[in-house]
Amino acid sequence: MTGLERLSAAEMAHAIRAGETTPSAVMKAHLDRIAAREAEVGAFIHLDADRAMSRAREADRQPPKGLLHGVPFGIKDIIDTDDMPTGWGSDIFAGRQPDRNAACVRAFLDAGAIPVGKTVTTEFAYFRPGKTANPHNPAHTPGGSSSGSAAAVADYMVPLAFGSQTAASLIRPAAYCGVCAFKPTTGGFDLSGVMALSPSLDTLGLLARTPQDLALARSILTGKPQPVSPDFSDTKPRIALMRGPHWRDGSMEMRDVCGRAMRALADQGAETGEIGSPPLFAELTDAQKIVMGYEAANARRDVYTSHRDAISIQFAQLIHEGRATTEGRYRAALAIRDRARAMVDLMFADYDGVLVPSAPGEAPEGLGATGDPLFSRMWNLLQLPCVALPFGVGPRDLPVGVQLLGRLHEDAGLLAVAEWVHAVFNSAR
């Protein structure tokens, strides 16, 4: 079997269980891809090819131990691992070696998956970029903060990778790199062993090339069996477009891809419509910034006070602004969130999913910044589950896409709708 690195995680696991290939053959295909492309893409901050291959050969000799037996995966460098350093994207903590694995890593190991390495993150999962370039054009950013994870999945170095999101750190790099991402309802995945930045916003998530892989990984992380996907052959999903308060702040290609996406869904029988953005939603982005800064100033106080001269200007500014924020202003921002979240239930009264922009447009040129998180801040504040889906390319031949929003705690249903939408998008290309 050739082209093993091009298979989805589910396809790899099935092929291994069926005896059509072996974990070591799968790992070799991915390591060969990394060897050919890592110098240009720079997805990994720590890579131990020999150890990964040794684990794969050991898996060859074992009966399948779980749903991901023999499947390679990447781990964002804010997630603890007991055999690889976790430096949080910071020179201050380079070489930091945890003594245990994060809960998500343990779950994947128990499912038989094999870690390849630690993927690049921005400093403290905030704004200062690492070395990663966009695999579609290395002169452009891959987005952040889950930069390396998105690039590694997009470039066929791994089929699955862990990321996280506090503002837009899953959805935006997925959009820029042309892959799928899943941000669950906040609190949906165990954050034990994951660096904290803003506790009410931090969310562990996943990057993959198909929604089916996202659903598979979710079942492993939650310990729940995958639900049977609904049959959309007769009754299609109901999906609404919401332009939102920042619609005109995005590019023409962003608005175009949303329009084309809605037309493609309607052409395949989806019940489509449009819902307006309540005036209160215009306050959500600023409220997210207030909450994030205030909580980050508390969560990372030690870094600011002990290593002030060693952190980036961007991160220092975040902490400085957070320290200057009063508790009253913070509580007022949370109150805006709570009032808006009550309105969200009305958004879904007649729809199964809401389609919104995932990023301002194609990935910006240059590696000195990771792009604007504008189009995910408000949804992350509202703690909604979100799925990024690619849909073609823009005028510079770089990926573009959309994101689907779901009801709080109805993550499985959102992923089922995303699977149907993804299939429609693929057929429309």
Side-chain angles (χ1 to χ4, degrees):
M1 183 178 288
T2 59
L4 291 172
E5 75 282 1
R6 302 271 168 165
L7 299 178
S8 70
E11 290 169 337
M12 287 175 204
H14 174 78
I16 290 169
R17 286 194 302 271
E20 298 168 0
T21 188
T22 63
S24 61
V26 168
M27 183 60 71
K28 182 179 185 304
H30 287 88
L31 292 176
D32 287 349
R33 179 69 179 179
I34 293 169
R37 294 282 294 158
E38 173 64 6
E40 183 171 21
V41 176
F44 290 92
I45 192 66
H46 180 86
L47 180 69
D48 190 338
D50 290 341
R51 183 171 179 79
M53 183 55 76
S54 175
R55 283 179 159 174
R57 291 189 180 114
E58 183 179 348
D60 287 348
R61 299 188 292 270
Q62 300 172 342
K65 62 181 292 189
L67 294 174
L68 290 177
H69 184 80
V71 175
F73 71 103
I75 306 167
K76 184 176 180 178
D77 190 38
I78 64 165
I79 299 172
D80 285 352
T81 45
D82 66 4
D83 59 354
M84 292 182 282
T86 304
W88 298 345
S90 166
D91 295 338
I92 300 166
F93 295 99
R96 170 183 169 271
Q97 182 56 65
D99 60 3
R100 66 187 66 187
N101 289 315
C104 60
V105 175
R106 291 198 305 272
F108 264 40
L109 293 175
D110 289 345
I114 302 173
V116 173
K118 305 301 285 289
T119 57
V120 172
T121 177
T122 58
E123 176 200 37
F124 302 116
Y126 190 55
F127 278 172
R128 189 185 73 179
K131 64 178 180 177
T132 310
N134 193 307
H136 298 276
N137 185 332
H140 291 251
T141 179
S145 64
S146 304
S147 315
S149 289
V153 169
D155 208 52
Y156 303 99
M157 297 176 177
V158 290
L160 274 172
F162 286 121
S164 67
Q165 180 160 302
T166 306
S169 294
L170 286 159
I171 301 299
R172 180 183 42 171
Y176 287 167
C177 291
V179 297
C180 301
F182 174 51
K183 188 213 82 73
T185 297
T186 302
F189 295 152
D190 191 339
L191 281 170
S192 301
V194 180
M195 186 208 79
L197 181 62
S198 176
S200 74
L201 300 172
D202 293 343
T203 312
L204 177 71
L206 298 150
L207 295 117
R209 293 189 292 272
T210 70
Q212 293 92 329
D213 280 356
L214 297 175
L216 172 63
R218 176 182 177 272
S219 72
I220 291 166
L221 294 176
T222 60
K224 300 176 181 177
Q226 283 185 263
V228 176
S229 296
D231 182 2
F232 290 123
S233 57
D234 295 323
T235 303
K236 307 301 184 189
R238 303 165 302 165
I239 300 171
L241 170 69
M242 177 183 275
R243 298 172 190 266
H246 304 299
W247 181 255
R248 291 294 170 187
D249 296 322
S251 64
M252 183 67 73
E253 64 260 24
M254 177 276 286
R255 296 190 289 274
D256 177 65
V257 72
C258 289
R260 288 190 294 110
M262 292 301 295
R263 289 193 293 273
L265 298 176
D267 288 346
Q268 292 301 312
E271 181 182 331
T272 59
E274 185 168 341
I275 51 180
S277 176
L280 182 63
F281 279 30
E283 301 179 41
L284 289 173
T285 294
D286 284 343
Q288 190 274 345
K289 293 177 182 178
I290 292 168
V291 171
M292 184 174 176
Y294 183 89
E295 293 184 353
N298 287 285
R300 299 269 65 93
R301 180 187 294 110
D302 55 339
V303 174
Y304 186 83
T305 55
S306 301
H307 303 283
R308 177 66 184 81
D309 295 335
I311 60 177
S312 68
I313 294 173
Q314 301 99 311
F315 194 70
Q317 184 67 22
L318 172 71
I319 304 303
H320 176 75
E321 291 176 357
R323 286 161 62 98
T325 298
T326 65
E327 183 176 354
R329 191 170 180 230
Y330 169 67
R331 296 294 174 191
L334 292 179
I336 291 170
R337 177 200 67 187
D338 294 343
R339 287 165 52 207
R341 198 157 62 186
M343 298 176 183
V344 169
D345 291 338
L346 297 175
M347 288 169 48
F348 291 100
D350 298 313
Y351 295 101
D352 303 304
V354 175
L355 187 146
V356 297
S358 55
E362 294 171 285
E365 188 171 4
L367 302 183
T370 57
D372 194 336
L374 182 64
F375 288 94
S376 285
R377 283 188 185 273
M378 67 175 68
W379 312 122
N380 211 70
L381 177 68
L382 294 175
Q383 303 181 327
L384 299 178
C386 311
V387 178
L389 297 170
F391 186 40
V393 296
R396 292 174 292 182
D397 207 32
L398 289 168
V400 289
V402 298
Q403 63 174 316
L404 284 177
L405 312 177
R407 294 180 178 89
L408 280 169
H409 307 296
E410 295 192 13
D411 300 35
L414 174 64
L415 285 167
V417 172
E419 183 177 338
W420 185 84
V421 171
H422 188 251
V424 170
F425 286 176
N426 283 340
S427 66
R429 287 177 182 172

